[in-house]
Amino acid sequence: MNLEDAFSVVDTAVHLPGQSDDALIRQLRKRKEFSPPRKALSPAAGLESGITLRPIEALHWLSYVTRPRYHDDVLDRYLWWGLLRYLGFFAHDYSHSHLPNLALSAAGRRISGNQRRVTSEEMGIGFGAALAARWFDSTGYATLRSVVDIDVALDARFVFGPSSAVQHIGTRRADYLLIGADRRDSGRYVLRVLECKGTKNAGNAVSQLARAVGQLDGVTVGGRVPQGLATAVVTGESRTSYLAVDPGDDDEPSYRVDGESIDRGRSFRLESDRVDVSAAEIANAAVRASWAVLADFGGNLGAIERWAPQVMRSRIERQPRDRVTFETPVGTARGTSLEFGFGSERLTVRYGIDESVDDQLTDGDAGEVMEAQRAFADRLEAGSERRAPESPEVLSTTADGTIFSLVRG
């Protein structure tokens, strides 16, 4: 597959078939891996029978969500290897619907062994985050702003325990915290959790999903199990699909985030002997961590140092990188750039942050960061991020300010 064909595949809207219904829930309950959650399982709104998306959205989420896990000495290798592998991983299959489905390309079919297992798991993360964004759009009153790795951002051993206390829980919990911005009040946020699995075999997906459901109960916020989403993504040779369920919550709280609380979150760390961790404090620490993850995506080292909670600062070590400013269909962006060969062609990959958001991450206070993010999210809703016909660029964005760009030539 040449670079032009690969760009066409990742930038074309595809049908991602899926299932989230009562029949799936009945299957889950019969699995030995299933542990009944504290909340009743329900179909995930907006994900009942498939979605439409561009694959670049999943690749963007994958590069964003997993980036903080990689130390600086292997980050470039990870970015190069992942992009070269995944950019040509998919091909189109028009045999099932008016929109193409995603099948594996010839290059994708050659990935085998442990690399194939890792590929399936990472596709589970990328598509799982994209599914979470659609789920947010269909539920409640919040828009997904960020996906934060709980281990990296808060602590690998402790989570929020009952009655606002901290409780040791081991490893049986969801990996990601979903941070949503309240559409009715820009100073309030909701917290949800995501557990996403990935496999190449459709026969394994229900068992994976059953295990994922059990992990959603591993985090409590202010004594409540937050609303959660469990997904299992199947990257089979003939098509990519998903399963999803939602332990629902009809009365979801939102939490106030303000400058004073954000400032206190600088030294936030979950400790085993603390008994006074409030839901509001957790929300402020999570939002603060999300800004550090955003800064890391765009290579803004000063903003990482400024916003990362203590435990996160101790885990992310970055060397200064040249930052570039570039124009996009959604405005000016600032970030880092990688250029490398793809066959006989050149590929430039840009990891950017909307310029106004980046400015506020660097010098603004908490309110100004929130306002810049809200303004960027409003621009996305009002406009389009699709590239012009014949453009050598493929673009994807997230509502908190990231801009992921691939340019040929």
Side-chain angles (χ1 to χ4, degrees):
M1 179 181 291
N2 61 37
L3 193 56
E4 183 177 2
D5 290 341
F7 267 48
S8 177
V9 170
V10 299
D11 195 41
T12 298
V14 301
H15 175 64
L16 189 69
Q19 181 184 3
S20 185
D21 55 21
D22 291 334
L24 174 60
I25 293 172
R26 288 193 293 270
Q27 290 184 60
L28 290 174
R29 288 175 176 151
K30 295 177 182 178
R31 295 285 172 160
K32 63 181 181 180
E33 301 90 349
F34 179 72
S35 298
R38 281 180 264 181
K39 294 182 177 180
L41 285 182
S42 60
L47 306 181
E48 293 88 349
S49 59
I51 65 169
T52 298
L53 85 168
R54 293 179 300 137
I56 188 67
E57 298 172 40
L59 299 184
H60 180 184
W61 277 116
L62 176 64
S63 64
Y64 189 12
V65 171
T66 58
R67 187 186 190 98
R69 280 190 171 271
Y70 289 86
H71 293 292
D72 200 71
D73 54 353
V74 299
L75 183 59
D76 284 337
R77 293 180 183 179
Y78 163 69
L79 295 174
W80 284 42
W81 177 66
L83 283 167
L84 287 172
R85 179 174 54 162
Y86 295 138
L87 189 56
F89 184 66
F90 292 112
H92 285 154
D93 176 8
Y94 284 91
S95 62
H96 299 286
S97 65
H98 68 285
L99 288 177
N101 284 351
L102 285 178
L104 296 195
S105 67
R109 292 167 188 249
R110 288 196 294 269
I111 299 175
S112 60
N114 188 59
Q115 285 194 9
R116 184 63 173 92
R117 179 187 62 79
V118 172
T119 298
S120 297
E121 291 175 352
E122 294 201 327
M123 289 296 97
I125 296 170
F127 282 98
L131 290 167
R134 302 303 172 87
W135 173 61
F136 256 91
D137 288 342
S138 301
T139 55
Y141 46 83
T143 301
L144 180 63
R145 281 288 174 83
S146 189
V147 181
V148 174
D149 186 312
I150 296 174
D151 284 357
V152 174
L154 298 173
D155 195 281
R157 298 168 299 158
F158 300 99
V159 294
F160 333 122
S163 302
S164 299
V166 176
Q167 179 185 32
H168 183 276
I169 49 79
T171 59
R172 189 171 173 77
R173 59 153 171 76
D175 288 333
Y176 299 105
L177 194 63
L178 304 173
I179 300 172
D182 192 324
R183 299 188 188 104
R184 306 165 302 182
D185 183 342
S186 60
R188 300 187 73 88
Y189 291 80
V190 302
L191 299 181
R192 300 180 182 178
V193 289
L194 169 69
E195 179 60 25
C196 40
K197 306 291 188 182
T199 180
K200 67 176 182 178
N201 297 315
N204 295 335
V206 176
S207 294
Q208 282 195 339
L209 190 63
R211 288 192 293 271
V213 168
Q215 293 173 248
L216 295 180
D217 274 358
V219 173
T220 61
V221 177
R224 298 173 58 101
V225 176
Q227 193 162 341
L229 179 70
T231 65
V233 174
V234 181
T235 49
E237 289 195 356
S238 60
R239 75 170 191 170
T240 296
S241 61
Y242 70 85
L243 304 176
V245 288
D246 164 21
D249 190 340
D250 294 331
D251 184 25
E252 183 176 34
S254 64
Y255 306 103
R256 171 67 59 184
V257 172
D258 56 43
E260 183 179 349
S261 299
I262 285 284
D263 288 343
R264 288 197 302 268
R266 180 172 179 81
S267 58
F268 182 88
R269 183 184 178 94
L270 293 169
E271 300 287 357
S272 60
D273 58 351
R274 293 188 66 184
V275 295
D276 60 347
V277 181
S278 69
E281 185 179 1
I282 292 165
N284 278 271
V287 171
R288 184 184 184 101
S290 76
W291 293 346
V293 173
L294 172 60
D296 188 35
F297 184 83
N300 188 337
L301 299 191
I304 297 173
E305 175 63 26
R306 185 181 184 203
W307 297 112
Q310 175 184 334
V311 66
M312 189 173 180
R313 290 201 308 276
S314 69
R315 290 175 179 172
I316 294 184
E317 296 182 3
R318 295 286 187 254
Q319 298 298 317
R321 295 167 180 262
D322 292 334
R323 303 189 78 211
V324 297
T325 299
F326 54 98
E327 297 300 321
T328 80
V330 294
T332 305
R334 189 182 295 128
T336 61
S337 177
L338 287 175
E339 182 176 326
F340 50 91
F342 192 98
S344 61
E345 301 180 86
R346 305 297 297 176
L347 173 65
T348 301
V349 186
R350 294 165 171 166
Y351 301 90
I353 305 170
D354 173 70
E355 186 177 47
S356 61
V357 175
D358 189 66
D359 286 341
Q360 300 307 325
L361 287 172
T362 303
D363 297 314
D365 60 27
E368 289 168 328
V369 175
M370 288 188 284
E371 176 59 28
Q373 289 188 313
R374 184 200 60 77
F376 181 73
D378 288 347
R379 291 211 311 272
L380 293 185
E381 287 191 7
S384 172
E385 65 186 39
R386 294 297 304 277
R387 65 188 176 110
E390 307 304 322
S391 170
E393 182 177 23
V394 174
L395 187 79
S396 175
T397 61
T398 56
D400 61 343
T402 70
I403 301 173
F404 179 61
S405 172
L406 307 177
V407 185
R408 288 187 289 119

